[in-house]
Amino acid sequence: MKNDRKDIRALTKKQLQEFFVSQGDKSFRGSQVYEWLWSKSAHTFEEMTNISKETREMLKNNFVINHIRVDQMQRSSDGTIKNAVKLHDSLTVESVLIPTPKRTTACVSSQVGCSLDCQFCATAKLKRMRNLNPDEIYDQVVAIDNESRLYFDKPLSNIVFMGMGEPLMNYNNVMKAIEKITSKEGLGMSPKRITISTSGVPKMIKKLADDEAKIKLAVSLHSAIDEVRTKIMPFNETFPLKDLKEALEYWYAKTKSRITYEYIVWKDINDNRPAAQALVDFCKAVPCKVNLIEYNPIDDGHFQQASAEATAMYQNMLERNGITVTVRRSRGKDIDAACGQLANKSA
Ligand code: SAH
């Protein structure tokens, strides 16, 4: 019997209401339980104090509540917090809380490992083990929201899908999680405060535009020259820049939402004028801004951050062409919590 019990959080609100009706109860009971599961983040049926004891027993006989567990929390000298998160099947992902004076941002994972093969990213070395379920994504956000209130005295303000995994390769579950995060029965956050960062899967960017998700889009570009991009992000062979550009034009036409390009300048890879010019040209396709991000070394040492002059050259060329550019410094490097460093080392 025990093994047959289903994860109750895999049910939609409607399915939960229907379950109660099928048990001879009211559909309203389903709404109450749903609220416990999501906005109140109950970990056990016992906590559901406005539900009768018999009903709680019945639920226990039929369902389990799978919940993530923050296994280990590390704090960086700059305030950044990294959670190693244990899933119900003992796999681990990581999520990060990044505090700044104005906001606290949760950087969450969407997959265990990653489907893609970016040569400079520690997560890619893990390969993809499985997609995260909507509740596993949602729980990471709740855990970070709690930490934000506890350590910084304010609720979480922003979410970025820049943890482990490629969010657009786990599209349905990411969208279901966002629905919960933004709904009143969940956290009630505005979708405008949520950014999906993708390495650029054209078909899924178009789908995101069609679904009118109202979230922000960031694209990890790193090179606007196909031969170079394919070397560092081999899947670019399958999804070349021409297709990416077309998908981004489609996105902008539908959403009117400006795109952010994330770009790392590496020594001997893209630290030259033609590469910067190619980026400037790519940026003309749709309204955008560029985040020049610092490279966080991963252990294999093939990639090296370019000189400060090379970064300044990019900055100047972009600015001269009227493109907004910011240079982003890494956070949480001392605890391997920075972009591209998430590889479950502490697990
Ligand atoms: N798969 C998604 C989200 C996860 S990666 C994506 O590619 O966007 C989040 C960001 O970290 C991306 O911009 C990615 O290019 C960047 N990143 C990966 N490895 C990095 C590294 N070693 N140093 C700095 N940034 C890195």
Side-chain angles (χ1 to χ4, degrees), residues 239-263:
F239 311 125
L241 288 161
K242 172 174 70 58
D243 296 356
L244 176 59
K245 194 165 160 185
E246 193 218 317
L248 295 173
E249 283 163 351
Y250 186 88
W251 161 271
Y252 189 77
K254 283 236 160 179
T255 66
K256 295 284 175 286
S257 166
R258 183 165 81 151
I259 290 157
T260 299
Y261 296 123
E262 297 156 281
Y263 198 102

Side-chain angles (χ1 to χ4, degrees), residues 25-176:
D25 205 331
K26 300 193 180 68
S27 84
F28 167 69
R29 199 78 57 223
S31 314
Q32 282 180 314
V33 171
Y34 192 83
E35 200 184 326
W36 276 108
L37 292 172
W38 295 101
S39 59
K40 296 184 187 155
S41 272
H43 287 213
T44 62
F45 294 112
E46 280 75 32
E47 289 165 59
M48 304 181 179
T49 44
N50 60 352
I51 308 291
S52 75
K53 226 171 164 189
E54 298 77 63
T55 307
R56 281 187 262 153
E57 271 310 305
M58 179 276 289
L59 287 172
K60 237 161 82 180
N61 290 331
N62 283 282
F63 298 105
V64 289
I65 305 177
N66 282 338
H67 229 282
I68 64 157
R69 190 162 50 81
V70 176
D71 210 27
Q72 198 187 3
M73 190 194 102
Q74 286 174 279
R75 288 191 80 176
S76 157
S77 52
D78 66 16
T80 302
I81 292 177
K82 180 169 85 170
N83 291 333
V85 167
K86 261 278 185 279
L87 308 171
H88 68 90
D89 53 3
S90 289
L91 291 171
T92 304
V93 291
E94 294 176 331
S95 27
V96 182
L97 184 167
I98 308 149
T100 65
K102 282 209 187 122
R103 41 168 98 162
T104 53
T105 301
C107 173
V108 296
S109 294
S110 55
Q111 298 181 314
V112 188
C114 189
S115 331
L116 299 176
D117 47 9
C118 303
Q119 302 291 296
F120 47 84
C121 179
T123 307
K125 310 271 179 250
L126 298 174
K127 305 291 172 222
R128 188 193 81 98
M129 286 175 248
R130 74 167 170 85
N131 285 338
L132 292 188
N133 296 324
D135 52 290
E136 293 169 327
I137 298 170
Y138 180 86
D139 288 352
Q140 292 176 65
V141 175
V142 172
I144 291 190
D145 185 37
N146 290 337
E147 288 169 349
S148 178
R149 289 167 198 268
L150 185 64
Y151 296 105
F152 303 100
D153 240 355
K154 53 186 174 193
L156 181 68
S157 63
N158 295 72
I159 300 171
V160 292
F161 279 85
M162 293 187 191
M164 299 166 98
E166 169 50 52
L168 296 190
M169 293 293 210
N170 182 18
Y171 187 87
N172 289 340
N173 291 352
V174 166
M175 296 310 279
K176 278 188 194 154

Side-chain angles (χ1 to χ4, degrees), residues 296-309:
N296 302 309
I298 57 172
D299 287 341
D300 69 359
H302 287 320
F303 289 83
Q304 273 179 317
Q305 171 88 40
S307 64
E309 289 75 33

Side-chain angles (χ1 to χ4, degrees), residues 107 110 114 116 118 120-123 161-167 196-200 218-222 233 235 262-264 266 293-298 328 330 338-341:
C107 173
S110 55
C114 189
L116 299 176
C118 303
F120 47 84
C121 179
T123 307
F161 279 85
M162 293 187 191
M164 299 166 98
E166 169 50 52
I196 289 189
S197 176
T198 175
S199 44
V219 175
S220 302
L221 193 59
H222 305 311
M233 303 169 84
F235 64 88
E262 297 156 281
Y263 198 102
I264 305 175
W266 285 286
I293 60 183
E294 201 183 328
Y295 176 57
N296 302 309
I298 57 172
R328 198 175 76 194
S330 290
C339 276
Q341 291 188 315

